[in-house]
Amino acid sequence: MEFSQLRIFQAVAEEGSITRAAERLHRVPSNLSTRLKQLEEQMGVELFVRERQRLQLSAAGKVLLDYTARLFALREEALGAVQGGVPAGKFTLGTMYSTAAIHLPALLARYHRSYPAVNLHVQSAPSGELLEGLLTGRLDAALVDGPLELAGLDGVAFCQERLVLISDLDHEPITRAQDVQGREVFTFRQGCSYRSRLEAWYASDRAAMGRVMEIESYQGMLACVVAGSGVALMPESMLASLPGRESVRAHPLQPPFDSATTWLMWRKGMMGANLNAWIELQHTQPCNMA
């Protein structure tokens, strides 16, 4: 069993397709098929089953995927150890969209300047997908909505966000969910923690949400609200950065829905040199934790 085989196995598991994995790894599909078959023969088990034109992990494959992530992390840790703990190699950081846009640019620039030997990759997604990426080993660390109490994960607070509900300019003040009952709601797809918070806000007031329209960007949400057709929830810092913000009205929410803490999370026991360097840099440039 070689690291190159495990890298192919990991790519196919994450993509669910040999063709897409081949494109990601810049190889031909036949090469990946051969290497996977060799790996299965060496281990004496089938790692994938085909379901609806997509490759799904078998029970044995799921076990191997977990070990694969740990092996890659240990390899990076070993490289760092023999190099005197100097950050180097690949470091994949997941982040929520708003965090990436508002809080990360300066930190990313400093990290690149301070640790040029690190190949830093940043992936943006809803919190639910980021947590899945952490648990499967696809991500080394992730900035997610917290605090979280999940087995196998550690974390530190990163920043505090104030959340606001936005409406068209002419809307009356919104103090509770009943004030916007039945109105259209613009939000990210399922898995977004802010969407879950918004749903909980409606439920706490026994108010019915209107039709939910899934939008892939805060800019898109703002544009829809400006058109006067509904409401959206977003961090106040995100709203402040968007062109056209003066065309909507921001309504503060009541506790406990008025704020959220973003946490940096990682798998327990996986504190390598790259992650440790990020945390140290994060502490020297703290975000607003008010």
Side-chain angles (χ1 to χ4, degrees):
M1 183 170 60
E2 303 172 359
F3 275 107
S4 59
Q5 289 176 307
L6 292 177
R7 184 68 70 190
I8 290 171
F9 163 71
Q10 185 184 55
V12 174
E14 292 174 356
E15 298 293 341
S17 162
I18 288 179
T19 300
R20 288 196 296 271
E23 293 174 353
R24 170 172 152 183
L25 298 175
H26 305 292
R27 297 194 181 190
V28 295
S30 59
N31 176 260
L32 267 64
S33 297
T34 299
R35 299 298 299 278
L36 275 180
K37 184 177 180 180
Q38 291 172 346
L39 181 60
E40 289 179 322
E41 290 174 350
Q42 291 170 11
M43 305 193 73
V45 295
E46 289 188 352
L47 299 174
F48 294 94
V49 293
R50 183 174 292 280
E51 294 183 0
R52 298 179 182 178
Q53 304 303 313
R54 180 179 174 86
L55 289 177
Q56 301 285 357
L57 285 168
S58 66
K62 292 177 181 178
V63 173
L64 181 61
L65 184 61
D66 179 61
Y67 276 101
T68 296
R70 291 157 65 183
L71 284 169
F72 285 138
L74 285 172
R75 183 178 69 169
E76 295 298 329
E77 184 177 330
L79 287 173
V82 299
Q83 294 170 354
V86 177
K90 186 178 180 180
F91 178 46
T92 305
L93 176 69
T95 174
M96 297 184 294
Y97 299 109
S98 56
T99 307
I102 303 302
H103 302 296
L104 284 193
L107 266 175
L108 291 173
R110 288 189 61 196
Y111 193 86
H112 279 299
R113 290 195 302 267
S114 301
Y115 308 105
V118 177
N119 184 15
L120 177 62
H121 292 257
V122 178
Q123 298 181 8
S124 298
S127 279
E129 294 180 20
L130 296 174
L131 288 173
E132 181 184 1
L134 274 182
L135 294 171
T136 60
R138 179 171 53 84
L139 301 174
D140 296 307
L143 292 159
V144 297
D145 186 21
L148 298 167
E149 296 181 359
L150 292 178
L153 294 182
D154 275 330
V156 294
F158 178 71
C159 70
Q160 186 83 9
E161 295 282 11
R162 298 188 187 279
L163 303 179
V164 295
L165 192 77
I166 62 172
S167 70
D168 59 275
L169 277 176
D170 297 328
H171 201 289
E172 294 295 321
I174 299 171
T175 59
R176 53 184 294 190
Q178 290 281 354
D179 295 336
V180 288
Q181 181 169 241
R183 294 211 65 184
E184 216 164 26
V185 176
F186 304 102
T187 185
F188 287 111
R189 60 185 180 275
Q190 291 287 354
C192 171
S193 60
Y194 290 167
R195 174 172 176 165
S196 297
R197 287 178 182 272
L198 185 59
E199 291 170 345
W201 179 67
Y202 274 90
S204 70
D205 200 25
R206 297 183 179 180
M209 294 179 69
R211 184 176 60 165
V212 175
M213 299 290 290
E214 295 183 353
I215 308 294
E216 289 300 313
S217 71
Y218 284 110
Q219 293 89 340
M221 291 181 201
L222 179 65
C224 290
V225 172
V226 169
S229 55
V231 296
L233 180 74
M234 66 178 62
E236 190 175 45
S237 60
M238 187 74 231
L239 176 62
S241 73
L242 296 176
R245 59 188 177 278
E246 68 282 351
S247 299
V248 297
R249 184 171 185 177
H251 306 265
L253 302 181
Q254 297 298 315
F257 304 104
D258 60 331
S259 65
T261 303
T262 300
W263 279 64
L264 176 70
M265 306 294 298
W266 63 90
R267 281 163 291 142
K268 288 183 178 178
M270 297 299 177
M271 174 70 79
N274 294 342
L275 176 57
N276 189 59
W278 177 273
I279 293 174
E280 290 181 355
L281 197 63
Q282 174 180 309
H283 286 162
T284 65
Q285 186 177 314
C287 295
N288 175 33
M289 290 300 298

